[in-house]
Amino acid sequence: MRGLVVKTPATKYAMVSHLAPTFNRAAGATDPEINTIFRLLEQFEAEYGIDLLHYNDPRQGIYHVVGPEQGITLPGLLVAGTDSHMTTHGGVGALGFSVGYEETIHILAHDAVWSYAMLPILIEIWDEVPFGMSPKDLSLDVVRRIGANGGLNCCVEFAGSAVSRLSVEGRMTLCNLMVEAGARAAIVAPDDKTMDYLHDRPSAPRDQDWDKALEYWRGLTVDSDAEFLRRYSFSAADLEPLVSWGTTTEHVIPVTGVVPEPSTAPTDAAAGDWRTALDYMGLQPGRPIEGLPMDQVFIGSCTNGRIEDLRAAAAVLKNRQAVIPGLVVPGSTPVKKQAECEGLDRIFLNSGLQWGEAGCSMCFGHHDSIVPPGQRCASTTNRSFPGRQGPGSRTHLMSPAMAAAAAVSGRIVDVRKIKPEGQA
């Protein structure tokens, strides 16, 4: 900190997300470099009074899950963090954005940071989301429609009846993936669902402060005369389960579709990117994506590691056996405990999948959980670039239910063909 002091340490948090051990947590991290980082965090906590959620803390988890879950992230707040998926925090009406380490030092010392203005984009999504579709499918569809640069350096504001119907956790998933469209932030105006979600969270306002907060939060709406750089209006009525075929989050197609032909790309540059992606992924144009064999499954991440994500996967896996290896990692320790109280962990374990400790884990090729070179992973994560889940790994992004369907079939399959346990 170069001799600086931390201003208002009570508003600063250090969270162990990416490096938390997936297994054998009682023994701690086995990597000496990671243990060095942990010791430095402990020294930082002791010196500056910042709250450290270490990997053995009962609140620990991915900070895009932990922030809203603990009531640290609240509507109307500016929330900065050293991870690109800070856009997630917009699901509760906060403006979350990522910063670099130099900017972090400035925020720690001054409670402020220089930033250029984010131009606003409005995306309205209307109509009913079809039965069996998930917020992950909705968010992948948005990225596919506007492209990997469609929200570049902007703030995406969501509205419309389909967004209103989403749970708060679903809104977080929707906002989470907007960084994959280049956005610096994404946000959904808070409503009664938001208030219900935040009520009695450990760090949320209480008593009279809660009443004052509600009055303020209810005023955080989209102005009728607001001006936007761009406006989009989509219908969710024809949404299908989506799967990624390539190496960016915009490389997605419906599970009923075929791997695209580069000659159909919108530009010559895109055609080159598609050819490179197809070569890395080992796919041929025109091949149906459904039926593509998978080598393993990962269910978790800041995109899909919340309790409703685990419930959706468990509904498909219940009383079924996985035919390929898989790992399920909750987004936080409270999510893990809730899942265990509901018996979801037993469903995963009985199906043959592993049940890990909270953290980022295999999402980014964690030191103790990676996808081997050349293998395909049906993954509920957010990125599929080369080597994301391990050197040479091939990632196919999809929803938790779709990943669970891949686990029991050993290949990409339309989850609509696999009825959850007990459904006629």
Side-chain angles (χ1 to χ4, degrees), residues 94-122:
L95 192 70
F97 58 96
S98 63
V99 291
Y101 289 100
E102 289 293 326
E103 294 171 303
T104 300
I105 292 171
H106 198 83
I107 292 170
L108 289 171
H110 303 291
D111 278 350
V113 66
W114 286 103
S115 177
Y116 55 81
M118 296 180 235
L119 295 174
I121 292 175
L122 179 65

Side-chain angles (χ1 to χ4, degrees), residues 90 113 147 268-269 312-313 322 362-363:
V113 66
D268 289 343
M362 196 182 283
C363 175

Side-chain angles (χ1 to χ4, degrees), residues 304-317:
N304 285 134
R306 299 174 185 83
I307 190 65
E308 72 174 29
D309 301 313
L310 302 187
R311 288 171 182 156
V316 175
L317 287 163

Side-chain angles (χ1 to χ4, degrees), residues 8 65 103-104 108 171 174 199 206 224 229 274 317 381 387 418:
T8 59
V65 177
E103 294 171 303
T104 300
L108 289 171
R171 295 171 190 180
L174 183 62
H199 189 251
R206 304 218 173 236
S224 59
L229 177 67
W274 286 17
L317 287 163
T381 55
I418 302 179

